[in-house]
Amino acid sequence: MISKTHPRYESLLLREKITKAYKEGYLAESGMIAHGRGEAFDYLLGEKTIYPAKRAMYAAIAQMLLANNPVISVNGNTVALAIDDIITLAKTINAKIEINLFHRTKERIDIISDLFKSKGYNDILGNNNDDLKYINDIESPRASASTNGIYTGDVILVPLEDGDRAEILAKTNKKIITIDLNPLSRTSKMSNISIVDNIVRAIPFMNSIANDLKAQNKEVLKNIITDFSNSENLEESLDFFKIKEEK
Amino acid sequence: MISKTHPRYESLLLREKITKAYKEGYLAESGMIAHGRGEAFDYLLGEKTIYPAKRAMYAAIAQMLLANNPVISVNGNTVALAIDDIITLAKTINAKIEINLFHRTKERIDIISDLFKSKGYNDILGNNNDDLKYINDIESPRASASTNGIYTGDVILVPLEDGDRAEILAKTNKKIITIDLNPLSRTSKMSNISIVDNIVRAIPFMNSIANDLKAQNKEVLKNIITDFSNSENLEESLDFFKIKEEK
Protein backbone atom coordinates (compact mmCIF):
# COMPACT_ATOMS: atom_id res chain seq x y z
CA MET A 1 0.00 0.00 0.00
CA ILE A 2 1.29 3.40 -1.02
CA SER A 3 0.55 6.17 1.45
CA LYS A 4 -1.64 8.91 0.00
CA THR A 5 0.68 11.44 1.58
CA HIS A 6 3.68 10.23 -0.44
CA PRO A 7 4.95 13.08 -2.64
CA ARG A 8 4.80 10.80 -5.68
CA TYR A 9 1.50 9.04 -4.83
CA GLU A 10 -0.27 9.29 -8.21
CA SER A 11 2.86 8.29 -10.08
CA LEU A 12 3.45 5.33 -7.75
CA LEU A 13 -0.10 4.07 -8.37
CA LEU A 14 0.60 3.89 -12.12
CA ARG A 15 3.93 2.20 -11.42
CA GLU A 16 2.05 -0.39 -9.39
CA LYS A 17 -0.31 -1.08 -12.31
CA ILE A 18 2.68 -1.59 -14.61
CA THR A 19 4.42 -3.92 -12.17
CA LYS A 20 1.18 -5.88 -11.73
CA ALA A 21 0.88 -6.26 -15.52
CA TYR A 22 4.41 -7.59 -15.65
CA LYS A 23 3.73 -10.08 -12.86
CA GLU A 24 0.54 -11.18 -14.58
CA GLY A 25 2.69 -11.99 -17.59
CA TYR A 26 1.45 -9.70 -20.33
CA LEU A 27 4.02 -6.90 -20.15
CA ALA A 28 7.58 -7.31 -21.40
CA GLU A 29 10.59 -6.17 -19.36
CA SER A 30 11.16 -3.42 -21.88
CA GLY A 31 7.62 -2.22 -21.16
CA MET A 32 8.62 -1.52 -17.58
CA ILE A 33 11.68 0.42 -18.68
CA ALA A 34 9.55 2.33 -21.18
CA HIS A 35 7.17 3.25 -18.39
CA GLY A 36 10.07 4.77 -16.48
CA ARG A 37 10.97 6.93 -19.47
CA GLY A 38 7.38 8.11 -19.64
CA GLU A 39 7.42 8.93 -15.93
CA ALA A 40 10.43 11.19 -16.44
CA PHE A 41 8.90 13.10 -19.34
CA ASP A 42 5.56 13.46 -17.54
CA TYR A 43 7.42 14.78 -14.51
CA LEU A 44 9.04 17.46 -16.67
CA LEU A 45 5.63 18.28 -18.16
CA GLY A 46 4.22 18.92 -14.69
CA GLU A 47 1.98 15.85 -15.00
CA LYS A 48 -0.84 17.75 -16.63
CA THR A 49 -2.47 17.80 -20.08
CA ILE A 50 -1.06 20.68 -22.09
CA TYR A 51 -2.97 22.73 -24.66
CA PRO A 52 -1.13 21.32 -27.72
CA ALA A 53 -2.04 17.81 -26.56
CA LYS A 54 -5.70 18.80 -26.43
CA ARG A 55 -5.47 20.28 -29.93
CA ALA A 56 -3.87 17.05 -31.17
CA MET A 57 -6.65 15.05 -29.54
CA TYR A 58 -9.33 17.04 -31.38
CA ALA A 59 -7.51 16.31 -34.65
CA ALA A 60 -7.12 12.65 -33.67
CA ILE A 61 -10.80 12.14 -32.92
CA ALA A 62 -11.79 13.99 -36.12
CA GLN A 63 -9.41 11.78 -38.12
CA MET A 64 -10.80 8.61 -36.58
CA LEU A 65 -14.41 9.68 -37.10
CA LEU A 66 -13.69 10.29 -40.80
CA ALA A 67 -11.92 6.95 -41.22
CA ASN A 68 -13.29 3.95 -43.07
CA ASN A 69 -11.56 1.48 -40.80
CA PRO A 70 -10.13 3.09 -37.67
CA VAL A 71 -8.13 0.78 -35.40
CA ILE A 72 -6.77 1.25 -31.90
CA SER A 73 -3.57 -0.73 -31.42
CA VAL A 74 -2.97 -1.84 -27.83
CA ASN A 75 0.14 -3.21 -26.18
CA GLY A 76 0.87 -4.30 -22.61
CA ASN A 77 1.46 -0.80 -21.27
CA THR A 78 -1.73 0.57 -22.81
CA VAL A 79 -3.79 -2.32 -21.43
CA ALA A 80 -2.23 -2.00 -17.98
CA LEU A 81 -2.93 1.72 -17.74
CA ALA A 82 -6.10 2.34 -19.74
CA ILE A 83 -8.07 -0.76 -20.76
CA ASP A 84 -11.47 0.53 -19.62
CA ASP A 85 -11.10 3.92 -21.29
CA ILE A 86 -9.81 2.29 -24.48
CA ILE A 87 -12.91 0.10 -24.70
CA THR A 88 -15.14 3.15 -24.15
CA LEU A 89 -13.29 5.06 -26.87
CA ALA A 90 -13.51 2.19 -29.36
CA LYS A 91 -17.25 1.91 -28.84
CA THR A 92 -17.86 5.66 -28.99
CA ILE A 93 -16.00 6.24 -32.26
CA ASN A 94 -16.74 2.81 -33.70
CA ALA A 95 -13.11 1.70 -33.93
CA LYS A 96 -11.65 -1.78 -33.73
CA ILE A 97 -9.13 -2.78 -31.08
CA GLU A 98 -6.10 -4.85 -32.08
CA ILE A 99 -3.53 -6.35 -29.78
CA ASN A 100 -0.15 -5.60 -31.24
CA LEU A 101 2.89 -6.49 -29.21
CA PHE A 102 6.45 -5.61 -30.09
CA HIS A 103 7.54 -8.62 -28.03
CA ARG A 104 4.76 -10.92 -29.17
CA THR A 105 4.25 -14.22 -27.39
CA LYS A 106 1.16 -16.41 -27.43
CA GLU A 107 0.97 -16.22 -23.64
CA ARG A 108 0.88 -12.42 -23.58
CA ILE A 109 -1.68 -12.29 -26.38
CA ASP A 110 -3.93 -14.77 -24.59
CA ILE A 111 -3.76 -12.95 -21.26
CA ILE A 112 -4.66 -9.63 -22.91
CA SER A 113 -7.48 -11.27 -24.91
CA ASP A 114 -8.88 -12.69 -21.70
CA LEU A 115 -8.62 -9.32 -19.97
CA PHE A 116 -10.74 -7.74 -22.71
CA LYS A 117 -13.23 -10.61 -22.50
CA SER A 118 -13.47 -10.16 -18.73
CA LYS A 119 -14.52 -6.57 -19.50
CA GLY A 120 -17.24 -7.82 -21.85
CA TYR A 121 -15.26 -6.92 -25.00
CA ASN A 122 -15.19 -9.92 -27.33
CA ASP A 123 -14.22 -8.42 -30.70
CA ILE A 124 -10.51 -8.05 -30.12
CA LEU A 125 -8.26 -8.45 -33.17
CA GLY A 126 -4.63 -9.55 -33.37
CA ASN A 127 -5.05 -12.59 -31.14
CA ASN A 128 -5.02 -15.12 -33.95
CA ASN A 129 -1.66 -15.89 -35.57
CA ASP A 130 -3.35 -17.30 -38.69
CA ASP A 131 -4.90 -13.91 -39.28
CA LEU A 132 -1.61 -11.97 -39.31
CA LYS A 133 -0.17 -10.35 -42.42
CA TYR A 134 3.00 -8.33 -42.87
CA ILE A 135 2.88 -4.63 -43.69
CA ASN A 136 4.78 -3.88 -46.93
CA ASP A 137 5.90 -7.52 -46.91
CA ILE A 138 8.39 -6.82 -44.11
CA GLU A 139 8.57 -10.25 -42.51
CA SER A 140 9.29 -9.09 -39.00
CA PRO A 141 7.17 -9.13 -35.85
CA ARG A 142 7.52 -5.34 -36.07
CA ALA A 143 5.40 -5.34 -39.22
CA SER A 144 2.72 -7.86 -38.34
CA ALA A 145 -0.90 -6.75 -38.44
CA SER A 146 -4.27 -8.46 -38.47
CA THR A 147 -6.09 -8.70 -41.80
CA ASN A 148 -9.21 -6.76 -40.90
CA GLY A 149 -7.47 -4.50 -38.42
CA ILE A 150 -4.23 -2.59 -38.82
CA TYR A 151 -3.35 -4.28 -42.12
CA THR A 152 -6.37 -2.80 -43.91
CA GLY A 153 -7.03 0.05 -41.50
CA ASP A 154 -6.73 3.62 -42.75
CA VAL A 155 -6.39 5.45 -39.43
CA ILE A 156 -4.43 3.78 -36.64
CA LEU A 157 -4.14 5.00 -33.06
CA VAL A 158 -0.94 3.48 -31.65
CA PRO A 159 -0.34 4.73 -28.12
CA LEU A 160 3.06 4.13 -26.47
CA GLU A 161 4.48 2.63 -29.62
CA ASP A 162 8.06 1.49 -30.22
CA GLY A 163 10.05 3.63 -32.68
CA ASP A 164 10.96 0.74 -34.98
CA ARG A 165 7.34 -0.26 -35.38
CA ALA A 166 6.15 3.33 -35.74
CA GLU A 167 8.65 3.74 -38.57
CA ILE A 168 7.11 0.83 -40.46
CA LEU A 169 3.59 2.15 -39.96
CA ALA A 170 4.63 5.66 -41.01
CA LYS A 171 5.84 4.34 -44.37
CA THR A 172 2.32 3.23 -45.30
CA ASN A 173 -0.49 5.49 -46.50
CA LYS A 174 -2.28 5.04 -43.21
CA LYS A 175 -2.79 8.00 -40.92
CA ILE A 176 -0.87 7.29 -37.73
CA ILE A 177 -1.89 8.82 -34.41
CA THR A 178 0.24 8.29 -31.35
CA ILE A 179 0.22 9.16 -27.66
CA ASP A 180 3.81 9.60 -26.49
CA LEU A 181 5.20 11.74 -23.66
CA ASN A 182 8.48 12.25 -25.50
CA PRO A 183 7.97 14.87 -28.22
CA LEU A 184 11.44 14.08 -29.58
CA SER A 185 10.90 10.34 -30.00
CA ARG A 186 11.00 8.75 -33.41
CA THR A 187 7.38 7.69 -32.86
CA SER A 188 6.27 11.28 -32.17
CA LYS A 189 8.17 12.64 -35.14
CA MET A 190 6.99 10.04 -37.63
CA SER A 191 3.31 10.03 -36.73
CA ASN A 192 0.72 12.21 -38.45
CA ILE A 193 -0.83 13.29 -35.16
CA SER A 194 1.24 13.07 -31.97
CA ILE A 195 -0.43 13.58 -28.63
CA VAL A 196 2.20 14.49 -26.03
CA ASP A 197 0.39 13.39 -22.91
CA ASN A 198 0.11 10.61 -20.38
CA ILE A 199 -2.28 7.97 -21.71
CA VAL A 200 -4.16 7.90 -18.40
CA ARG A 201 -5.17 11.52 -18.97
CA ALA A 202 -5.36 11.43 -22.77
CA ILE A 203 -7.87 8.64 -23.39
CA PRO A 204 -10.42 10.04 -20.88
CA PHE A 205 -10.04 13.48 -22.52
CA MET A 206 -10.58 11.92 -25.95
CA ASN A 207 -13.70 10.21 -24.62
CA SER A 208 -14.94 13.52 -23.24
CA ILE A 209 -14.78 15.21 -26.67
CA ALA A 210 -15.74 12.27 -28.89
CA ASN A 211 -19.51 12.70 -28.62
CA ASP A 212 -19.27 16.44 -29.34
CA LEU A 213 -17.27 15.79 -32.48
CA LYS A 214 -19.60 12.99 -33.60
CA ALA A 215 -22.38 15.57 -33.69
CA GLN A 216 -20.44 17.73 -36.19
CA ASN A 217 -20.70 17.34 -39.96
CA LYS A 218 -17.80 16.05 -42.03
CA GLU A 219 -16.69 19.50 -43.20
CA VAL A 220 -16.13 20.63 -39.63
CA LEU A 221 -14.09 17.51 -38.91
CA LYS A 222 -12.04 17.98 -42.09
CA ASN A 223 -11.30 21.57 -41.14
CA ILE A 224 -10.01 20.50 -37.74
CA ILE A 225 -7.54 18.20 -39.48
CA THR A 226 -6.56 20.73 -42.16
CA ASP A 227 -5.83 23.33 -39.48
CA PHE A 228 -3.57 20.94 -37.58
CA SER A 229 0.19 20.84 -38.20
CA ASN A 230 1.91 18.07 -36.31
CA SER A 231 5.40 19.55 -36.58
CA GLU A 232 4.22 22.93 -35.27
CA ASN A 233 2.21 21.26 -32.54
CA LEU A 234 5.20 19.17 -31.44
CA GLU A 235 7.31 22.33 -31.40
CA GLU A 236 4.75 24.01 -29.16
CA SER A 237 4.57 20.92 -26.96
CA LEU A 238 8.30 21.19 -26.34
CA ASP A 239 7.83 24.63 -24.82
CA PHE A 240 5.87 23.14 -21.95
CA PHE A 241 8.68 20.92 -20.71
CA LYS A 242 10.38 22.53 -17.76
CA ILE A 243 13.69 21.15 -16.65
CA LYS A 244 14.22 24.36 -14.70
CA GLU A 245 12.01 24.95 -11.71
CA GLU A 246 9.99 28.15 -11.53
CA LYS A 247 11.72 30.69 -9.33
CA MET B 1 21.39 -9.29 -30.44
CA ILE B 2 21.06 -5.56 -30.89
CA SER B 3 22.35 -4.27 -34.21
CA LYS B 4 25.24 -1.82 -33.85
CA THR B 5 23.56 0.36 -36.42
CA HIS B 6 20.46 0.85 -34.26
CA PRO B 7 20.05 4.56 -33.45
CA ARG B 8 19.79 3.72 -29.75
CA TYR B 9 22.50 1.00 -29.65
CA GLU B 10 24.45 2.11 -26.55
CA SER B 11 21.28 2.74 -24.63
CA LEU B 12 19.83 -0.64 -25.62
CA LEU B 13 22.97 -2.40 -24.35
CA LEU B 14 22.44 -0.91 -20.88
CA ARG B 15 18.79 -1.83 -21.05
CA GLU B 16 19.83 -5.40 -21.77
CA LYS B 17 22.08 -5.44 -18.68
CA ILE B 18 19.19 -4.21 -16.55
CA THR B 19 16.79 -6.81 -17.95
CA LYS B 20 19.39 -9.54 -17.40
CA ALA B 21 19.79 -8.46 -13.76
CA TYR B 22 16.04 -8.68 -13.32
CA LYS B 23 15.92 -12.15 -14.84
CA GLU B 24 18.82 -13.23 -12.64
CA GLY B 25 16.68 -12.22 -9.69
CA TYR B 26 18.60 -9.41 -8.02
CA LEU B 27 16.83 -6.37 -9.43
CA ALA B 28 13.34 -5.34 -8.32
CA GLU B 29 10.62 -4.40 -10.82
CA SER B 30 10.90 -0.82 -9.64
CA GLY B 31 14.58 -0.93 -10.58
CA MET B 32 13.61 -1.48 -14.19
CA ILE B 33 11.20 1.45 -14.12
CA ALA B 34 13.87 3.58 -12.45
CA HIS B 35 16.27 2.69 -15.25
CA GLY B 36 13.75 4.00 -17.75
CA ARG B 37 13.58 7.33 -15.93
CA GLY B 38 17.37 7.52 -16.04
CA GLU B 39 17.34 6.79 -19.77
CA ALA B 40 15.02 9.74 -20.37
CA PHE B 41 17.16 12.18 -18.37
CA ASP B 42 20.37 10.95 -19.99
CA TYR B 43 18.76 11.38 -23.39
CA LEU B 44 17.98 15.01 -22.56
CA LEU B 45 21.55 15.46 -21.33
CA GLY B 46 22.91 14.29 -24.68
CA GLU B 47 24.31 11.14 -23.06
CA LYS B 48 27.61 12.76 -22.15
CA THR B 49 29.36 13.76 -18.94
CA ILE B 50 28.85 17.46 -18.30
CA TYR B 51 31.34 19.80 -16.65
CA PRO B 52 29.35 20.24 -13.39
CA ALA B 53 29.28 16.46 -13.02
CA LYS B 54 33.07 16.35 -13.29
CA ARG B 55 33.40 19.10 -10.69
CA ALA B 56 31.09 17.15 -8.37
CA MET B 57 33.19 14.03 -8.91
CA TYR B 58 36.36 15.84 -7.86
CA ALA B 59 34.58 16.94 -4.68
CA ALA B 60 33.23 13.44 -4.15
CA ILE B 61 36.60 11.75 -4.42
CA ALA B 62 38.19 14.39 -2.16
CA GLN B 63 35.44 13.85 0.41
CA MET B 64 35.89 10.08 0.33
CA LEU B 65 39.68 10.33 0.58
CA LEU B 66 39.32 12.52 3.70
CA ALA B 67 36.79 10.17 5.31
CA ASN B 68 37.44 7.90 8.27
CA ASN B 69 35.01 5.27 7.06
CA PRO B 70 33.90 5.80 3.47
CA VAL B 71 31.27 3.39 2.19
CA ILE B 72 29.90 2.75 -1.29
CA SER B 73 26.29 1.62 -1.13
CA VAL B 74 25.25 -0.63 -4.00
CA ASN B 75 21.80 -1.70 -5.15
CA GLY B 76 20.65 -3.90 -8.02
CA ASN B 77 20.89 -1.19 -10.69
CA THR B 78 24.40 -0.20 -9.63
CA VAL B 79 25.59 -3.79 -9.65
CA ALA B 80 24.00 -4.49 -13.03
CA LEU B 81 25.60 -1.48 -14.67
CA ALA B 82 28.91 -0.95 -12.91
CA ILE B 83 30.07 -3.78 -10.62
CA ASP B 84 33.63 -3.94 -11.98
CA ASP B 85 34.23 -0.21 -11.82
CA ILE B 86 32.73 -0.04 -8.32
CA ILE B 87 35.18 -2.67 -7.08
CA THR B 88 38.07 -0.76 -8.65
CA LEU B 89 36.91 2.47 -7.01
CA ALA B 90 36.52 0.86 -3.59
CA LYS B 91 40.04 -0.54 -3.74
CA THR B 92 41.58 2.69 -5.06
CA ILE B 93 40.10 4.96 -2.38
CA ASN B 94 40.01 2.31 0.34
CA ALA B 95 36.25 2.33 0.77
CA LYS B 96 33.92 -0.43 1.86
CA ILE B 97 31.11 -1.74 -0.30
CA GLU B 98 27.71 -2.39 1.25
CA ILE B 99 24.72 -3.98 -0.40
CA ASN B 100 21.73 -1.87 0.45
CA LEU B 101 18.46 -2.70 -1.22
CA PHE B 102 15.29 -0.67 -0.95
CA HIS B 103 13.37 -3.87 -1.72
CA ARG B 104 15.54 -6.15 0.38
CA THR B 105 15.09 -9.91 0.09
CA LYS B 106 17.52 -12.60 1.16
CA GLU B 107 17.57 -13.98 -2.37
CA ARG B 108 18.61 -10.68 -3.94
CA ILE B 109 21.25 -10.09 -1.27
CA ASP B 110 22.71 -13.57 -1.81
CA ILE B 111 22.85 -13.23 -5.59
CA ILE B 112 24.64 -9.89 -5.34
CA SER B 113 27.06 -11.24 -2.70
CA ASP B 114 27.88 -14.14 -5.00
CA LEU B 115 28.41 -11.79 -7.94
CA PHE B 116 30.98 -9.84 -5.92
CA LYS B 117 32.64 -13.09 -4.84
CA SER B 118 32.81 -14.24 -8.45
CA LYS B 119 34.76 -11.04 -9.09
CA GLY B 120 37.20 -11.90 -6.29
CA TYR B 121 35.67 -9.36 -3.88
CA ASN B 122 34.94 -11.07 -0.56
CA ASP B 123 34.55 -8.16 1.88
CA ILE B 124 31.04 -7.11 0.98
CA LEU B 125 28.93 -5.68 3.80
CA GLY B 126 25.17 -5.67 4.23
CA ASN B 127 24.68 -9.32 3.40
CA ASN B 128 24.13 -10.44 6.98
CA ASN B 129 20.78 -9.62 8.58
CA ASP B 130 22.22 -10.07 12.10
CA ASP B 131 24.59 -7.23 11.38
CA LEU B 132 21.93 -4.68 10.45
CA LYS B 133 21.11 -1.64 12.58
CA TYR B 134 18.56 1.13 12.01
CA ILE B 135 19.66 4.69 11.32
CA ASN B 136 18.19 7.12 13.88
CA ASP B 137 16.18 4.16 15.25
CA ILE B 138 13.82 4.29 12.26
CA GLU B 139 12.68 0.67 12.16
CA SER B 140 12.11 0.49 8.42
CA PRO B 141 14.00 -1.32 5.67
CA ARG B 142 14.62 2.17 4.33
CA ALA B 143 16.81 2.91 7.35
CA SER B 144 18.73 -0.33 7.70
CA ALA B 145 22.53 -0.23 7.54
CA SER B 146 25.34 -2.58 8.45
CA THR B 147 27.20 -1.93 11.70
CA ASN B 148 30.66 -1.35 10.28
CA GLY B 149 29.43 0.09 7.01
CA ILE B 150 26.81 2.75 6.43
CA TYR B 151 25.70 2.79 10.07
CA THR B 152 29.07 4.04 11.32
CA GLY B 153 30.32 5.44 8.00
CA ASP B 154 31.00 9.16 7.72
CA VAL B 155 30.99 9.53 3.94
CA ILE B 156 28.52 7.45 1.92
CA LEU B 157 28.37 7.19 -1.86
CA VAL B 158 24.83 6.11 -2.73
CA PRO B 159 24.39 5.96 -6.50
CA LEU B 160 20.88 5.64 -7.96
CA GLU B 161 19.26 5.93 -4.55
CA ASP B 162 15.56 6.06 -3.76
CA GLY B 163 14.30 9.41 -2.46
CA ASP B 164 12.80 8.01 0.73
CA ARG B 165 16.06 6.37 1.69
CA ALA B 166 18.14 9.39 0.69
CA GLU B 167 15.98 11.50 2.97
CA ILE B 168 16.81 9.29 5.94
CA LEU B 169 20.53 9.37 5.16
CA ALA B 170 20.47 13.15 4.68
CA LYS B 171 19.13 13.61 8.20
CA THR B 172 22.31 12.10 9.70
CA ASN B 173 25.65 13.87 10.07
CA LYS B 174 27.09 11.72 7.32
CA LYS B 175 28.22 13.30 4.09
CA ILE B 176 26.02 11.89 1.34
CA ILE B 177 27.23 11.66 -2.26
CA THR B 178 24.89 10.53 -4.97
CA ILE B 179 24.96 9.83 -8.71
CA ASP B 180 21.55 10.66 -10.16
CA LEU B 181 20.60 11.77 -13.66
CA ASN B 182 17.65 13.78 -12.37
CA PRO B 183 18.95 17.06 -10.89
CA LEU B 184 15.47 17.77 -9.52
CA SER B 185 15.06 14.50 -7.64
CA ARG B 186 14.73 14.46 -3.87
CA THR B 187 17.92 12.41 -3.76
CA SER B 188 19.87 15.02 -5.75
CA LYS B 189 18.54 17.87 -3.67
CA MET B 190 19.14 16.25 -0.30
CA SER B 191 22.64 14.96 -0.90
CA ASN B 192 25.78 16.91 -0.05
CA ILE B 193 27.39 16.17 -3.39
CA SER B 194 25.17 15.24 -6.35
CA ILE B 195 26.75 13.94 -9.53
CA VAL B 196 24.32 14.39 -12.42
CA ASP B 197 25.63 11.71 -14.75
CA ASN B 198 25.06 8.19 -15.96
CA ILE B 199 26.75 5.78 -13.55
CA VAL B 200 28.40 3.93 -16.46
CA ARG B 201 30.33 7.09 -17.30
CA ALA B 202 30.68 8.48 -13.76
CA ILE B 203 32.42 5.62 -11.95
CA PRO B 204 35.11 5.22 -14.66
CA PHE B 205 35.70 8.99 -14.53
CA MET B 206 35.99 8.83 -10.74
CA ASN B 207 38.49 6.02 -11.11
CA SER B 208 40.47 8.08 -13.60
CA ILE B 209 40.92 10.97 -11.13
CA ALA B 210 41.21 9.00 -7.87
CA ASN B 211 44.93 8.31 -8.08
CA ASP B 212 45.70 11.95 -8.91
CA LEU B 213 43.77 13.16 -5.89
CA LYS B 214 45.35 10.52 -3.62
CA ALA B 215 48.70 12.12 -4.38
CA GLN B 216 47.50 15.51 -3.05
CA ASN B 217 47.84 16.61 0.56
CA LYS B 218 44.79 17.02 2.80
CA GLU B 219 44.67 20.81 2.45
CA VAL B 220 44.26 20.54 -1.29
CA LEU B 221 41.45 18.02 -0.85
CA LYS B 222 39.74 20.21 1.77
CA ASN B 223 39.90 23.20 -0.57
CA ILE B 224 38.21 21.23 -3.34
CA ILE B 225 35.34 20.52 -0.98
CA THR B 226 35.15 24.07 0.40
CA ASP B 227 34.99 25.49 -3.10
CA PHE B 228 32.11 23.19 -4.03
CA SER B 229 28.49 24.32 -3.65
CA ASN B 230 26.03 21.54 -4.37
CA SER B 231 23.06 23.84 -4.92
CA GLU B 232 24.99 25.99 -7.39
CA ASN B 233 26.37 22.93 -9.11
CA LEU B 234 22.88 21.42 -9.48
CA GLU B 235 21.65 24.71 -10.88
CA GLU B 236 24.46 24.65 -13.45
CA SER B 237 23.72 21.02 -14.24
CA LEU B 238 20.14 21.95 -15.13
CA ASP B 239 21.40 24.27 -17.86
CA PHE B 240 22.76 21.31 -19.80
CA PHE B 241 19.42 19.57 -20.21
CA LYS B 242 18.02 20.26 -23.63
CA ILE B 243 14.42 19.46 -24.27
CA LYS B 244 14.63 21.64 -27.37
CA GLU B 245 16.72 20.38 -30.23
CA GLU B 246 19.48 22.59 -31.55
CA LYS B 247 18.37 24.46 -34.63
Side-chain angles (χ1 to χ4, degrees):
Chain A
M1 273 297 285
I2 304 158
S3 161
K4 284 195 178 177
T5 62
H6 194 285
R8 305 288 307 142
Y9 175 69
E10 297 288 341
S11 179
L12 292 176
L13 276 190
L14 300 186
R15 204 182 290 177
E16 228 176 30
K17 286 186 183 180
I18 288 292
T19 305
K20 184 163 170 276
Y22 180 79
K23 289 183 176 167
E24 288 177 4
Y26 68 89
L27 190 88
E29 287 84 8
S30 56
M32 269 198 279
I33 296 174
H35 182 75
R37 283 199 299 285
E39 269 187 11
F41 283 103
D42 203 18
Y43 178 89
L44 298 176
L45 202 55
E47 291 163 342
K48 57 184 189 302
T49 298
I50 59 177
Y51 174 67
K54 290 182 182 175
R55 187 162 49 192
M57 287 191 266
Y58 274 93
I61 294 289
Q63 191 87 70
M64 295 187 90
L65 287 173
L66 289 171
N68 292 314
N69 186 11
V71 182
I72 303 172
S73 176
V74 296
N75 61 14
N77 293 65
T78 299
V79 171
L81 296 175
I83 184 170
D84 293 323
D85 294 317
I86 288 281
I87 293 172
T88 302
L89 180 64
K91 288 181 177 170
T92 307
I93 63 173
N94 204 17
K96 294 170 183 165
I97 303 177
E98 173 167 336
I99 308 172
N100 215 296
L101 307 182
F102 189 65
H103 298 282
R104 184 182 178 96
T105 65
K106 188 177 179 322
E107 190 202 356
R108 285 185 190 133
I109 295 281
D110 287 346
I111 296 171
I112 294 175
S113 279
D114 289 345
L115 272 173
F116 275 94
K117 279 180 199 156
S118 76
K119 303 279 184 183
Y121 188 88
N122 299 307
D123 303 325
I124 197 93
L125 295 173
N127 59 346
N128 178 359
N129 279 349
D130 297 338
D131 176 45
L132 293 185
K133 287 201 166 71
Y134 291 108
I135 294 167
N136 290 343
D137 293 327
I138 301 165
E139 287 201 27
S140 151
R142 297 171 185 191
S144 70
S146 81
T147 311
N148 295 317
I150 294 174
Y151 191 76
T152 50
D154 54 344
V155 177
I156 321 289
L157 170 62
V158 281
L160 316 180
E161 187 55 272
D162 172 83
D164 290 340
R165 190 169 161 82
E167 195 167 343
I168 287 168
L169 286 169
K171 283 178 182 159
T172 66
N173 288 324
K174 303 174 195 304
K175 296 290 180 192
I176 307 303
I177 303 164
T178 195
I179 303 172
D180 190 326
L181 277 158
N182 179 0
L184 303 172
S185 74
R186 288 189 293 145
T187 300
S188 288
K189 287 179 182 168
M190 287 182 300
S191 296
N192 299 92
I193 300 173
S194 305
I195 299 159
V196 179
D197 199 12
N198 190 323
I199 191 172
V200 305
R201 295 189 301 268
I203 307 287
F205 183 86
M206 289 166 89
N207 281 326
S208 78
I209 63 175
N211 281 315
D212 279 353
L213 289 188
K214 268 173 84 172
Q216 306 298 322
N217 65 44
K218 283 194 176 185
E219 286 311 309
V220 173
L221 299 180
K222 280 180 190 167
N223 283 340
I224 291 174
I225 297 165
T226 310
D227 290 347
F228 179 81
S229 158
N230 202 46
S231 56
E232 284 176 22
N233 202 60
L234 277 175
E235 197 65 30
E236 278 186 43
S237 300
L238 281 168
D239 291 333
F240 287 84
F241 284 83
K242 294 246 183 325
I243 183 75
K244 282 266 189 183
E245 287 176 290
E246 306 288 349
K247 299 269 173 167
Chain B
M1 272 299 283
I2 303 157
S3 161
K4 283 194 179 178
T5 61
H6 194 285
R8 305 287 308 141
Y9 174 70
E10 297 288 342
S11 179
L12 291 177
L13 276 189
L14 300 186
R15 204 181 289 176
E16 228 176 30
K17 285 186 184 182
I18 289 291
T19 305
K20 185 163 169 276
Y22 180 79
K23 289 183 176 166
E24 287 176 5
Y26 67 89
L27 190 87
E29 287 84 7
S30 56
M32 271 199 276
I33 296 175
H35 182 76
R37 284 198 300 283
E39 269 188 10
F41 283 103
D42 203 18
Y43 177 89
L44 297 176
L45 202 55
E47 291 163 341
K48 58 183 189 301
T49 299
I50 58 176
Y51 173 69
K54 290 183 183 174
R55 187 163 49 191
M57 287 192 265
Y58 275 93
I61 294 290
Q63 191 87 71
M64 295 187 89
L65 287 172
L66 289 172
N68 292 315
N69 186 12
V71 182
I72 303 172
S73 176
V74 295
N75 62 14
N77 293 64
T78 299
V79 170
L81 296 174
I83 184 170
D84 294 324
D85 294 317
I86 288 280
I87 293 172
T88 303
L89 180 64
K91 288 181 178 169
T92 308
I93 62 174
N94 204 19
K96 294 169 183 165
I97 303 176
E98 173 167 337
I99 309 171
N100 215 296
L101 307 182
F102 189 65
H103 298 283
R104 184 183 178 96
T105 66
K106 189 178 179 318
E107 190 201 357
R108 286 185 189 133
I109 295 282
D110 287 347
I111 297 171
I112 294 175
S113 278
D114 289 345
L115 272 172
F116 275 95
K117 278 180 199 155
S118 76
K119 303 280 184 183
Y121 188 89
N122 298 305
D123 303 325
I124 197 92
L125 296 172
N127 59 346
N128 178 359
N129 280 350
D130 297 338
D131 177 43
L132 293 184
K133 288 201 166 70
Y134 290 107
I135 294 167
N136 290 344
D137 293 327
I138 301 165
E139 287 200 28
S140 152
R142 297 170 186 192
S144 70
S146 83
T147 312
N148 295 317
I150 293 173
Y151 191 76
T152 50
D154 54 344
V155 178
I156 321 289
L157 171 62
V158 281
L160 316 181
E161 187 55 271
D162 172 84
D164 290 340
R165 191 170 159 81
E167 194 167 342
I168 287 168
L169 286 168
K171 283 179 183 160
T172 65
N173 289 323
K174 305 174 194 302
K175 296 290 181 191
I176 307 302
I177 303 164
T178 195
I179 303 172
D180 190 325
L181 277 158
N182 179 1
L184 302 173
S185 74
R186 288 188 295 147
T187 300
S188 288
K189 287 179 184 170
M190 287 183 298
S191 297
N192 300 92
I193 300 173
S194 305
I195 300 158
V196 179
D197 199 11
N198 190 324
I199 190 171
V200 303
R201 296 188 302 266
I203 307 286
F205 184 86
M206 289 166 90
N207 281 326
S208 77
I209 63 175
N211 280 315
D212 280 353
L213 289 188
K214 267 173 86 172
Q216 306 298 320
N217 66 44
K218 284 193 176 186
E219 286 310 309
V220 173
L221 300 180
K222 280 180 190 168
N223 283 339
I224 291 174
I225 298 165
T226 310
D227 291 346
F228 180 81
S229 158
N230 201 46
S231 55
E232 285 175 21
N233 203 59
L234 277 175
E235 196 65 30
E236 279 187 42
S237 301
L238 281 169
D239 292 333
F240 287 84
F241 284 84
K242 294 246 184 324
I243 184 76
K244 281 267 189 182
E245 288 176 291
E246 306 289 347
K247 298 270 172 166

